[in-house]
Amino acid sequence: ENTAEVGDVIRGYDFRGHDSYIEGEVIEKGMVNGYYAYSINIVKDTAGEGNRVGDVGYVPFESTFDFDGRVEKVS
């Protein structure tokens, strides 16, 4: 929860041990569909074909599948 604030750029990894992630500027943080998440404007998507660029994505935090380093502040 304390990793980033609105306006920061973060990278959120999909799963432990995988290199896939989405990256973007935090536009909001709080409750989304029953879990806490950063809402970001996606500027980089390394999963699949990267077709989420330009979309708003959600990077959960304080969830049951969280792990150290899953969310990192890029700038």
Side-chain angles (χ1 to χ4, degrees), residues 2-57:
N2 295 321
T3 301
E5 298 297 329
V6 172
D8 292 339
V9 175
I10 63 169
R11 179 177 296 158
Y13 291 92
D14 287 341
F15 302 102
R16 183 186 307 267
H18 291 15
D19 293 333
S20 299
Y21 62 86
I22 56 175
E23 186 175 294
E25 181 181 349
V26 177
I27 55 173
E28 189 175 357
K29 69 187 256 189
M31 196 65 94
V32 176
N33 296 326
Y35 56 89
Y36 291 102
Y38 297 105
S39 299
I40 67 170
N41 283 322
I42 301 172
V43 297
K44 188 170 186 180
D45 176 8
T46 65
E49 297 177 19
N51 58 359
R52 296 180 286 181
V53 171
D55 291 345
V56 172

